[in-house]
Amino acid sequence: MNVERIAELKKQRNAVILAHTYQPGEVQDIADFVGDSYGLSVEATRTEADLIVFCGVLFMAETAAILNPRRKVVLAEPTAGCPMADMIEAEDLRELKKEHPGSTVMCYVNSPVDVKALSDICCTSSNAVKIASQLPESGEILFVPDKYLGSYVAEQTGRKMILWNGFCPTHARITPDSLRHAQQEYPEACTMIHPEAPPESRTLADKVLSTGQMCSFVQKDRHTEYIVATERGLIHTLEKQNPGKRFYPVSDQITCPNMRKGSLEAVRKSLEGTGGLEVTVAPEIAEAAKKSLQRMLDMS
Ligand code: 13P
Ligand code: SF4
């Protein structure tokens, strides 16, 4: 019922549905575009739709609204936030910048808009290494808010980085013990881990990849089994894209409660105008944040 109604309302409203790969399978299945944080931000710049219904968390819908201010953006599940994004405020970054004058501020998109506005450049997990390696080599990089992604970028680039103490509570639950346990159970599987996971777990994996990179990697890789060390929603995406392969979660603990809130009912209500949260960003903050986001798009 919801599925047919959604298709009908989508036409009536000239709407597009964008969904992150961590969303529940039923939501991914009705979306026009399913992708990672980077892919969704690019898609938001391209769409001609009047209404973007965003199935993900607040910072993603805000990014879409900033990059495409002429479109109405509705976050399907109004209470879906990101605890990592909430681990830093604009005032924290102002203080940090005072302590490190002359540094370049690199801001993971999983962050509040006013933090993006105070930053020099944004990144997602798929382009963070590429962007850091293009920044001037002379100064240090202040990386906010994810200390684990930041430490991975520092390892990969050899750049001097000052890290904020934020982290993703979901990926922090990928412990070395849980990984070893999964690896014992599936000895033939290739282990892929997201760079938001802690360093001591990353070192046990075969590949460190963002969600988008996991999708591309599996399509050309020779393995037939994979341990997927990230939010379990990605397993639905991978299974659809690779019907002959098998994917195993590290444990059933690796779920993002905010991404799990996604539902067909929330999408339908957003299209009907009876639910969802219209996302708007104050113009002066949006303008400054857009510069950091645009630099990211240009350097990716
Ligand atoms: P990517 O979509 O960049 O892989 O990031 C994962 C994530 O945690 C999004 O919230
Ligand atoms: Fe935030 Fe982690 Fe959930 Fe991504 S998986 S939305 S970083 S809490």
Side-chain angles (χ1 to χ4, degrees):
M1 167 61 191
N2 275 333
V3 175
E4 285 122 52
R5 182 83 180 120
I6 286 168
E8 187 182 279
L9 286 163
K10 225 171 58 166
K11 272 197 210 126
Q12 278 171 20
R13 306 270 330 252
N14 186 26
V16 69
I17 300 171
L18 306 185
H20 192 270
T21 48
Y22 290 168
Q23 286 283 295
E26 60 175 19
V27 175
Q28 294 192 32
D29 292 346
I30 52 95
D32 297 292
F33 181 86
V34 179
D36 67 351
S37 303
Y38 180 73
L40 291 166
S41 58
V42 172
E43 202 55 31
T45 63
R46 290 191 181 145
T47 183
E48 293 294 321
D50 296 320
L51 169 66
I52 299 174
V53 175
F54 210 105
C55 304
V57 295
L58 180 64
F59 75 80
M60 297 177 176
E62 285 172 339
T63 300
I66 293 166
L67 289 172
N68 203 340
R70 288 175 301 130
R71 314 284 168 209
K72 180 170 170 171
V73 178
V74 171
L75 178 63
E77 175 45 60
T79 64
C82 168
M84 168 160 43
D86 297 339
M87 288 180 189
I88 187 163
E89 292 179 4
E91 201 40 46
D92 299 324
L93 182 53
R94 274 194 206 98
E95 288 302 313
L96 195 65
K97 284 171 75 162
K98 272 191 221 152
E99 288 165 28
H100 299 277
S103 54
T104 302
V105 182
M106 192 171 164
C107 172
Y108 191 26
V109 288
N110 304 33
S111 53
V113 271
D114 48 2
V115 169
K116 290 185 180 73
L118 289 172
S119 302
D120 297 299
I121 188 158
C122 288
C123 70
T124 71
S125 57
S126 69
N127 57 27
V129 169
K130 188 173 179 186
I131 286 177
S133 48
Q134 291 175 70
L135 296 178
E137 269 178 45
S138 49
E140 51 190 18
I141 298 173
L142 293 187
F143 191 90
V144 295
D146 186 357
K147 64 177 172 183
Y148 293 143
L149 177 63
S151 70
Y152 177 67
V153 174
E155 277 162 29
Q156 294 297 305
T157 61
R159 298 300 309 269
K160 179 157 177 17
M161 294 180 59
I162 312 292
L163 309 178
W164 186 252
N165 191 22
F167 62 93
C168 163
T170 298
H171 286 86
R173 287 198 291 273
I174 305 174
T175 59
D177 276 353
S178 64
L179 269 179
R180 280 193 209 100
H181 188 267
Q183 286 170 335
Q184 272 161 15
E185 202 169 339
Y186 307 111
E188 301 302 319
C190 169
T191 304
M192 305 186 290
I193 196 166
H194 197 279
E196 283 179 17
E200 61 276 18
S201 300
R202 285 200 309 257
T203 54
L204 296 175
D206 298 302
K207 291 275 166 191
V208 181
L209 301 166
S210 70
T211 54
Q213 289 166 345
M214 286 184 193
C215 292
S216 322
F217 170 72
V218 168
Q219 280 181 346
K220 47 184 188 346
D221 181 58
R222 62 170 180 84
H223 289 85
T224 51
E225 291 181 284
Y226 299 84
I227 294 166
V228 183
T230 192
E231 213 282 341
R232 72 157 201 248
L234 186 70
I235 291 185
H236 180 82
T237 328
L238 289 165
E239 283 175 344
K240 267 180 95 171
Q241 292 174 353
N242 307 277
K245 297 195 175 194
R246 298 179 80 90
F247 301 94
Y248 311 114
V250 177
S251 80
D252 52 15
Q253 303 294 307
I254 317 304
T255 60
C256 171
N258 285 282
M259 287 289 187
R260 294 287 113 209
K261 288 176 183 169
S263 69
L264 290 181
E265 196 188 350
V267 175
R268 175 179 53 75
K269 286 185 175 168
S270 301
L271 288 163
E272 281 171 349
T274 57
L277 172 75
E278 183 171 354
V279 176
T280 51
V281 180
E284 61 288 1
I285 293 183
E287 202 184 315
K290 190 172 184 179
K291 283 187 191 145
S292 306
L293 286 164
Q294 193 56 53
R295 270 186 215 120
M296 167 187 86
L297 296 175
D298 295 344
M299 284 169 76
S300 294

